[in-house]
Amino acid sequence: MTTAMTTAPRRIDVHQHLVPSLYREALAKSGIVEAGGRALPDWSAGAALEQMDLLGTGTAILSVSTPGTGFLGDPGEAAGLARRLNDFSADLTAEHPSRFGWFATLPMPDVTASAREAERALTELGADGVTLLANNRGTYPGAEGQDALWRVLDEHGAVVFVHPADLPAPAVEGIPPFAADFLLDTTRAAYLLVRNGVPRRHPNIRFVLSHGGGFLPYASHRMAVAIAADIGRGPRDVLEDFRGFYFDTALSSSPAALPTLLAFARPGHVLFGSDWPFAPAAAGQYFANGLDDGVEAGTLGAVNRTNAEALFPRLAQGAPAPVPSRPLPVRLRQSARRAGARLVFKLVQPGAE
């Protein structure tokens, strides 16, 4: 239906993670070797760039995934780790300004320290936005007592990337958290933000919900009715607040999920995401193919790039930066991988012959 994934304009990936050694070491000291039920993946800037070339990605906005800094019980240690991660991200982006951007890590649930670090990251370090986990030790965005953070983010018109975490409850045996719980966690965060009026009180904040918003597009009307009955607002108003979120396509651009997401979201509010390296290369290719084959060319161009350019104006200055050409054997290998991934995608769809 559409052009190949390598056709210009090149993608802007708003959902890509980094796992620098300083973070891996801090997690290891606390006995943490996995996130969301998956082993911590290997990461390097070089590997990220290679994966981006494979998916036709020009720029990736990097973020630290769960557990963020919330695994540290000492607030001072959590704030210190957030600062180190943000300094690292800023330095990496300075080395590759056209290829990387970054969302700042905040030491939630400490609201005061998070507001302070958000101010520093946005004004001094040049962050493209901030990351908020959907919950930090059971505290969700939108809970009481977070106004100091919302004020800072609203003042700067910040982009807030909402990423899921392990639910504040034991995992169910046989169901890894990343497979199902993460979707509920994001949905809970979106529900509470709207229920407690955060987007309405702070309209300059642009919230990006991971993984197509979890269950939100599919269950939006049901949740709107529940909120309307709870706080006395009209369901239509609640739905408009839900539609005001932005959504990334990470692991969500399947033939089943993508039409619902595009039908629900406001025009311009769907952004490309890969979830690399927590989602391995094969998964990234699978869902990128779902996007490439599932929408018409104008929508594809918007999701791939122009919608993100509106959120991150620095990336919209002129034509996309050229990507250095890799050696011919590498390019041939990547081309073969893309062709194989497209074939696999078509073969596994329901009803495929």
Side-chain angles (χ1 to χ4, degrees):
M1 177 182 297
T2 61
T3 53
M5 70 177 65
T6 53
T7 302
R10 298 180 66 81
R11 306 187 204 269
I12 296 174
D13 184 351
V14 303
H15 188 153
Q16 188 177 134
H17 298 298
L18 75 168
V19 191
S21 58
L22 72 93
Y23 187 55
R24 187 183 299 274
E25 291 166 3
L27 292 171
K29 287 181 180 179
S30 294
I32 299 172
V33 296
E34 65 176 29
R38 296 186 68 96
L40 290 174
D42 293 331
W43 176 88
S44 70
L49 292 169
E50 183 174 349
Q51 170 68 2
M52 290 161 62
D53 292 349
L54 180 65
L55 292 185
T57 299
T59 305
I61 312 297
L62 303 176
S63 58
V64 172
S65 185
T66 182
T69 65
F71 67 96
L72 293 170
D74 181 274
E77 290 184 10
L81 178 57
R83 289 179 65 91
R84 292 166 60 206
L85 287 168
N86 293 336
D87 289 341
F88 179 93
S89 300
D91 289 343
L92 177 64
T93 299
E95 294 174 9
H96 306 274
S98 67
R99 303 304 308 274
F100 291 131
W102 60 289
F103 293 124
T105 299
L106 303 183
M108 288 291 277
D110 187 331
V111 172
T112 300
S114 294
R116 187 183 307 118
E117 184 60 16
E119 180 77 32
R120 185 182 82 96
L122 293 168
T123 61
E124 298 179 21
L125 300 183
D128 293 293
V130 305
T131 301
L132 286 179
L133 294 182
N135 87 87
N136 284 271
R137 301 204 298 270
T139 298
Y140 280 82
E144 293 184 4
Q146 298 172 349
D147 285 348
L149 176 60
W150 302 132
R151 285 195 296 269
V152 169
L153 298 175
D154 187 75
E155 177 184 347
H156 293 288
V159 177
V160 176
F161 178 62
V162 180
H163 190 279
D166 288 354
L167 292 174
V172 176
E173 185 176 356
I175 304 177
F178 77 87
D181 295 354
F182 272 18
L183 302 176
L184 174 58
D185 203 43
T186 300
T187 304
R188 284 179 168 182
Y191 187 104
L192 196 61
L193 284 166
V194 168
R195 190 262 181 207
N196 290 348
V198 173
R200 293 220 162 196
R201 295 198 310 274
H202 303 282
N204 295 320
I205 301 174
R206 281 77 55 81
F207 291 95
V208 179
L209 302 182
S210 299
H211 306 121
F215 303 129
L216 174 58
Y218 184 82
S220 55
H221 287 252
R222 174 175 179 162
M223 294 191 295
V225 169
I227 291 175
D230 183 19
I231 64 174
R233 286 180 53 200
R236 184 187 296 270
D237 287 344
V238 177
L239 282 169
E240 284 305 304
D241 286 352
F242 281 146
R243 295 182 69 236
F245 290 121
Y246 290 77
F247 306 85
D248 77 51
T249 64
L251 305 181
S252 302
S253 49
S254 70
L258 185 60
T260 300
L261 175 59
L262 292 172
F264 175 73
R266 286 181 186 169
H269 280 226
V270 179
L271 314 165
F272 177 76
S274 72
D275 206 2
W276 189 86
F278 286 90
Q285 288 180 276
Y286 180 89
F287 286 100
N289 285 326
L291 177 62
D292 292 338
D293 293 341
V295 298
E296 53 84 24
T299 300
L300 179 62
V303 173
N304 275 343
R305 186 168 189 95
T306 55
N307 292 346
E309 286 180 333
L311 278 182
F312 309 104
R314 74 175 183 85
L315 301 179
Q317 297 173 0
V323 176
S325 179
R326 293 189 177 272
L328 179 60
V330 175
R331 285 184 279 132
L332 290 174
R333 185 167 63 250
Q334 289 183 337
S335 179
R337 290 175 67 184
R338 285 191 288 265
R342 286 194 290 272
L343 177 61
V344 169
F345 178 84
K346 294 180 183 298
L347 289 175
V348 302
Q349 300 312 313
E353 296 296 336

